Amino acid sequence: MTVGTYGLAFGAAAVANGFSVLQACLLSLLTFSGASQFAVVGVMGAGGSALSAIATASLLGVRNALYGVIMAPHLRVKGFKRVIAAQVTIDESTAVALGLQKRGSDAMRHGFWLTGLGVFLFWNLFTLAGALGAQVMGDTRAWGLDAAVPAAFLALLWPRLERNQDRALALACIVFALAMTPILPVGLPIIATALIAIAVGLRR
Amino acid sequence: MNPLWIATIGAGLVAFTLKYTGHSIPAHLLAHPKIQRINTLIPIALLSALVAVQSFTQTSRLIIDHRLAGVGVALIALLLKAPFPVVVLSAAISSAAAYRIF
């Protein structure tokens, strides 16, 4: 249900921001990481360069690499299977696998594959549906799509704000990004906040 | 090549490379606690900035428009512990309503 709505919102947002249906579907097939995909669409839609869109998406995708490091010893896959495992290494599949840690590596593997492949299937189907839907909508602002994107980002951010210092970081990044918007080229104020995160992480 | 295509293909290539690298490097290389910490902080920073920029800017201008109604309702929905679909849908509906009224 959640994956479905999010996929629909992504497909629709991609088309609303000027991407074709094919490009929306390729983003979901190739990038397959919700926050990164929304970042590409958001930065390009706001008039940013392709480079800043790719950079923002990639910085958001770094966490998938660390998920891969965590999952690899449990999956123990090689060759083509590793390619597939890598592609479905995302928040959801890793979270489910880690949730099953107490039940051993077999349960973790099972949970990882089931979640990863399941989300992949539904995410791509609903992206296509959302992209086709947005094509027939006309003015997507009149359907609230331009607010659905920041709302989706906010919903992704929300569960990460349990600690006070994380809330402070979030607030600082909001203020920074808005303050830099009239000064820096579109997209850069967003990427620059990653530097704030790195500075905070190194100091703590 | 059209920038939208560059962004589409480029983001996909980097995303996969990152995922595959994670599966292929020795675990101890990234085990440092500071790297783990930065890994949890970067999404917080980028998602916060994306919320702000997508809600209150248009290209290089700060602006308050109908989207504020949508994001405000999304915030209330999250405070009420609403599930993801409800958050996004209620945001879209209220933003659409504000857009049609103003």
Side-chain angles (χ1 to χ4, degrees):
Chain A
M1 176 67 178
T2 300
V3 172
T5 323
Y6 199 27
L8 273 178
F10 171 73
V15 168
N17 283 295
F19 287 78
S20 67
V21 174
L22 175 63
Q23 286 166 335
C25 290
L26 281 176
L27 274 166
S28 281
L29 283 167
L30 300 176
T31 301
F32 188 51
S33 193
S36 296
Q37 292 176 226
F38 266 108
V40 171
V41 165
V43 172
M44 293 307 286
S49 69
L51 198 63
S52 55
I54 295 169
T56 309
S58 304
L59 283 166
L60 277 165
V62 169
R63 69 185 195 287
N64 291 329
L66 280 112
Y67 295 157
V69 174
I70 298 169
M71 287 313 302
H74 299 286
L75 295 171
R76 293 190 302 273
V77 283
K78 285 200 170 72
F80 184 64
K81 252 188 147 176
R82 186 185 282 181
V83 171
I84 303 296
Q87 184 64 346
V88 300
T89 302
I90 52 168
D91 288 333
E92 290 88 344
S93 54
T94 311
V96 167
L98 291 179
L100 294 167
Q101 203 156 23
K102 277 183 193 152
R103 293 207 252 155
S105 269
D106 274 346
M108 286 178 76
R109 253 198 307 276
H110 190 71
F112 174 86
W113 283 112
L114 203 67
T115 311
L117 296 174
V119 170
F120 188 79
L121 179 71
F122 283 104
W123 179 247
N124 282 288
L125 285 177
F126 279 95
T127 297
L128 176 62
L132 291 173
Q135 256 193 337
V136 298
M137 272 183 192
D139 183 359
T140 48
R141 283 176 301 178
W143 297 81
L145 260 182
D146 50 349
V149 178
F153 282 129
L154 190 60
L156 281 172
L157 173 65
W158 202 252
R160 299 173 196 270
L161 297 181
E162 282 180 357
R163 301 180 312 165
N164 274 334
Q165 61 236 60
D166 294 340
R167 291 191 199 120
L169 173 66
L171 205 60
C173 292
I174 287 172
V175 172
F176 177 86
L178 291 179
M180 289 300 131
T181 291
I183 304 163
L184 296 176
V186 175
L188 281 190
I190 299 164
I191 302 170
T193 59
L195 298 176
I196 301 178
I198 291 170
V200 171
L202 288 176
R203 282 197 57 191
R204 269 186 203 164
Chain B
M1 202 158 75
N2 166 329
L4 290 176
W5 272 114
I6 297 174
T8 303
I9 303 296
L13 283 178
V14 181
F16 177 76
T17 308
L18 282 168
K19 289 173 179 170
Y20 194 81
T21 308
H23 276 265
S24 309
I25 55 170
H28 65 86
L29 282 184
L30 294 176
H32 196 284
K34 284 212 158 112
I35 292 188
Q36 302 287 340
R37 207 152 48 224
I38 290 169
N39 184 48
T40 61
L41 294 179
I42 284 182
I44 294 173
L46 290 175
L47 289 170
S48 308
L50 282 161
V51 171
V53 167
Q54 296 282 309
S55 304
F56 301 110
T57 74
Q58 200 163 54
T59 57
S60 285
R61 282 188 311 132
L62 297 179
I63 187 171
I64 285 182
D65 59 16
H66 57 281
R67 290 173 294 175
L68 177 62
V71 179
V73 169
L75 186 64
I76 295 167
L78 285 165
L79 284 168
L80 295 173
K81 301 190 193 316
F84 187 88
V86 176
V87 174
V88 175
L89 275 177
S90 61
I93 292 167
S94 26
S95 174
Y99 182 75
R100 284 166 200 239
I101 292 167
F102 300 113

